[in-house]
Amino acid sequence: MSRFSRVMIVLLLVAGLAYYWLLVNAGPARIPARPLDLAAMRQAALALPGSRPESISFKVLARRHVPGAALAAGTGLRQVDVGIISWRLNRPDGGIVIDPGLSQADAAAIGFKHYDRAARATVDNWLEQSRLILFTHAHVDHVGLFLDHPAFDSIVAKAIISPTLLNGISALWRENGGRITQTRSLRPIEAVAPGVVLVQTPGHTPGSEMVFVKLADGREFLFAGDTASLGVNADRPTPRSRLMAEWLAPEDRPAVIGWLKGLKALKKRNPKVVIVPSHDLAWTFGNQKLFAKDK
């Protein structure tokens, strides 16, 4: 074997190991599942008097393609369609917004070239009409449109923001972030409206939380935020790749793995609970019948 051949073999081995380590390996198998207490969520959802949300609507603000392995380790380099999705729990009193999304400028800055300005106008109206505004975490693609809203002073009091979540918002260095003066300390599982419960799940960020929703008709949804960006994250389960989770967008990957195992266990015991991933357009449009056509 020539020296050139030996060098090429070594380079291929190094490249293969790097690919496996950065984009395939799903982390230590020994990490235990973090428990998600569905009974406690259900109890909290029924604790506050009043009407529960009637339905759920969504708007896709921006979309792009990324390699699947970036957001779900071991799923290969096939491109997947991801989006910035804003959700609304529909109620007669104006509803509850979950993760408003981001502006066109912020979308372009993080690689989303396709932006729907009509969807943004709708979400801006949702924020103005809403009763409450909730966030699964404080990254700009989930809180940016709230911070950039032209009538920020009229909507800021609607937002439920924990001190830890505010720390994440402050790190974005947005002027309006410095004008948030009201925070709310939250228990691990806490109802914030009839049928709507915040569940503290730190890992993707220190202030990450999931939103459990029990609709008036009894259907149950758990908005997972970026703990599960894609449906496959919770189904396999598999976390974001090490390239994303430890280099490009650092998170507490072992904690996220624990929550993903918890989501899979919850789904196995309760298959009717809908686990909603944060950015998976194939999942979202594939399950469109679960949501209201337009609100």
Side-chain angles (χ1 to χ4, degrees):
M1 182 183 297
S2 69
R3 181 180 178 183
F4 175 78
S5 297
R6 290 195 297 269
V7 169
M8 289 302 299
I9 290 172
V10 170
L11 290 175
L12 288 171
L13 285 173
V14 170
L17 288 171
Y19 175 79
Y20 173 81
W21 182 250
L22 292 173
L23 293 169
V24 177
N25 183 269
R30 66 180 182 276
I31 293 174
R34 293 197 170 198
L36 289 161
D37 190 342
L38 183 60
M41 295 181 215
R42 286 170 167 166
Q43 183 178 17
L46 300 175
L48 297 180
S51 300
R52 302 197 300 271
E54 299 169 350
S55 62
I56 301 172
S57 297
F58 70 88
K59 286 294 181 182
V60 178
L61 291 160
R63 62 195 305 165
R64 64 175 291 192
H65 288 91
V66 300
L71 296 180
T75 58
L77 297 180
R78 180 180 60 85
Q79 299 288 300
V80 296
D81 197 10
V82 299
I84 307 299
I85 308 171
S86 179
W87 300 89
R88 186 193 195 211
L89 311 179
N90 298 311
R91 296 170 44 102
D93 63 1
I96 298 170
V97 177
I98 301 174
D99 286 347
L102 80 178
S103 68
Q104 186 169 4
D106 282 334
I110 59 174
F112 285 84
K113 296 180 180 179
H114 303 286
Y115 191 85
D116 188 335
R117 281 180 271 188
R120 175 191 172 144
T122 297
V123 177
D124 277 340
N125 287 333
W126 285 356
L127 291 168
E128 292 173 8
Q129 299 165 4
S130 66
R131 175 186 175 189
L132 290 175
I133 303 167
L134 308 176
F135 312 98
T136 59
H137 63 290
H139 285 162
V140 71
D141 53 329
H142 294 255
V143 304
L145 213 55
F146 163 72
L147 292 173
D148 293 340
H149 196 280
F152 180 77
D153 288 341
S154 70
I155 69 169
V156 63
K158 303 175 184 180
I160 295 182
I161 299 173
S162 69
T164 308
L165 193 66
L166 181 57
N167 288 339
I169 289 174
S170 298
L172 298 175
W173 295 100
R174 295 298 171 91
E175 180 181 352
N176 283 340
R179 297 161 68 184
I180 299 171
T181 58
Q182 180 178 327
T183 61
R184 176 171 169 178
S185 295
L186 296 164
R187 295 185 293 272
I189 296 176
E190 183 164 342
V192 294
V196 184
V197 179
L198 293 180
V199 183
Q200 300 307 302
T201 54
H204 177 65
T205 69
S208 287
E209 54 195 14
M210 298 184 190
V211 185
F212 175 73
V213 178
K214 189 175 183 70
L215 296 181
D217 62 11
R219 290 182 295 151
E220 296 173 326
F221 297 78
L222 185 58
F223 291 83
D226 277 3
T227 299
S229 296
L230 305 178
V232 69
N233 291 126
D235 291 342
R236 287 186 96 163
T238 186
R240 292 182 175 215
S241 68
R242 187 172 270 108
L243 177 65
M244 287 291 293
E246 296 183 3
W247 292 84
L248 300 180
E251 64 184 13
D252 183 344
R253 197 169 187 241
V256 170
I257 292 169
W259 291 123
L260 290 173
K261 290 182 176 180
L263 284 172
K264 183 173 183 178
L266 182 150
K267 185 69 174 179
K268 183 177 181 180
R269 295 191 303 268
N270 306 274
K272 290 186 178 181
V273 176
V274 179
I275 308 297
V276 182
S278 60
H279 295 298
D280 193 335
L281 291 185
W283 184 97
T284 302
F285 288 115
N287 289 279
Q288 196 164 3
K289 64 182 180 181
L290 298 173
F291 307 113
K293 289 185 177 179
D294 197 25
K295 287 284 183 179

